[in-house]
Amino acid sequence: MSWAGKIYLWMTRFNTIALTGLILFFIGIFIYDRVRYSSTLQELTGDRFGSTNDGMMPFSGQEMKVPGGTFVRYYPVEDAGSYEWDKGQNITIVDVRDGSSHKILSDNDPRAIINWELIEKGGANPRVYLGYVAWAATKIQFDQGRADLLISAFPNIKQHTLAENIKYTYLPKLSGNESVAIIIWPEEDRANFVSFDLTSGEVIEKKEIDLPKMKENFLSLNNGLPDEKFTRFAHHNMAPPSNEFGFLE
């Protein structure tokens, strides 16, 4: 065999060995990472949280300053940012002053919390929250893109149902002492401006918004229903996207 042939053979063998070594290196890195992750998870789910066979339920806890005290809200992490309906999706509010707790929905409620928003006192530093609005829906409501609107004031939690089986809401904002203004869409082509007392739940003012007419050829995917009907993102902010529904400018 010529020198050129021998050099080519050596280079081929070297490349084969180098490629095999590189593959084995990456496999080793992957196995090491899995072992390290498993070891860390076992530490988290060990004696502090029960037996190593029991997985730890990851809860998200967030502190909220409210008039006269501090609350903490808890919900399972897997519910955060989830646009799917699941029985038991709920939020617990804890009063740090005395340890009392309140669930937005009772345990036997057929609805699930699909979104909620805190009402902030403007200009307060640190932020102070005066109450919340929450969207609760049964599985049937959720599949129809509808929900009930719940409201409550802090620190004395007394929950009220402001509206039932609505399509959307938009911009819940503090408009005065203990009063909140919000736009509610009972249907896709109807909207109402509503102001209410956050503590009592009493509607202060309600008037229909004069919306522009809808185009006849608005975007649709099935049987003339709006495209947004088939996505879960509508449940995240509950605001009707005008470009999807084709409102005339």
Side-chain angles (χ1 to χ4, degrees):
M1 182 181 294
S2 64
W3 277 107
K6 291 180 180 180
I7 292 174
Y8 176 78
L9 180 62
W10 291 339
M11 290 183 64
T12 301
R13 290 175 178 175
F14 174 79
N15 290 339
T16 301
I17 294 172
L19 181 61
T20 302
L22 189 63
I23 293 174
L24 292 176
F25 173 76
F26 283 115
I27 291 176
I29 290 294
F30 176 79
I31 293 175
Y32 170 77
D33 182 68
R34 291 294 89 191
V35 170
R36 185 169 61 89
Y37 172 80
S38 177
S39 176
T40 302
L41 185 63
Q42 184 170 341
E43 289 179 5
L44 292 176
T45 56
D47 295 336
R48 288 181 297 163
F49 299 102
S51 70
T52 56
N53 294 325
D54 294 330
M56 178 182 64
M57 174 64 76
F59 280 98
S60 175
Q62 296 172 305
E63 182 178 315
M64 304 179 294
K65 296 295 182 182
V66 302
T70 301
F71 283 175
V72 180
R73 50 181 165 156
Y74 288 104
Y75 52 88
V77 169
E78 59 264 28
D79 289 353
S82 173
Y83 304 113
E84 297 302 324
W85 188 93
D86 188 22
K87 182 179 180 180
Q89 286 180 183
N90 208 347
I91 295 174
T92 291
I93 302 170
V94 181
D95 189 338
V96 176
R97 297 173 301 179
D98 57 13
S100 60
S101 62
H102 165 81
K103 284 183 178 178
I104 293 183
L105 297 178
S106 62
D107 290 335
N108 59 355
D109 196 306
R111 299 172 298 179
I113 296 297
I114 55 177
N115 190 29
W116 87 318
E117 188 169 337
L118 293 167
I119 304 299
E120 180 182 342
K121 183 177 181 180
N125 187 20
R127 291 182 177 179
V128 175
Y129 298 103
L130 301 181
Y132 66 81
V133 294
W135 293 261
T138 63
K139 184 62 169 65
I140 294 176
Q141 284 179 303
F142 185 81
D143 290 339
Q144 294 174 346
R146 294 186 177 273
D148 300 332
L149 183 61
L150 311 177
I151 61 174
S152 181
F154 296 148
N156 299 317
I157 299 174
K158 186 176 181 181
Q159 190 164 275
H160 308 277
T161 300
L162 184 65
E164 294 181 337
N165 212 39
I166 59 175
K167 288 292 292 183
Y168 308 102
T169 56
Y170 193 48
L171 293 176
K173 298 294 182 183
L174 192 67
S175 60
N177 292 331
E178 305 297 327
S179 63
V180 176
I182 191 170
I183 297 175
I184 297 177
W185 298 66
E187 301 295 339
E188 288 153 2
D189 58 349
R190 289 174 49 215
N192 297 321
F193 171 85
V194 179
S195 63
F196 59 91
D197 184 278
L198 189 59
T199 301
S200 66
E202 180 182 355
V203 174
I204 300 171
E205 182 182 12
K206 178 182 177 182
K207 55 185 177 182
E208 189 168 350
I209 298 173
D210 187 13
L211 291 173
K213 294 181 180 179
M214 292 185 70
K215 293 179 180 179
E216 294 182 356
N217 60 342
F218 64 93
L219 182 61
S220 172
L221 289 182
N222 182 38
N223 298 327
L225 295 175
D227 171 66
E228 189 68 13
K229 164 70 171 62
F230 298 98
T231 71
R232 294 278 65 88
F233 292 97
H235 294 288
H236 177 57
N237 55 23
M238 303 300 291
S242 57
N243 59 324
E244 294 285 357
F245 291 111
F247 286 111
L248 292 169
E249 296 181 357

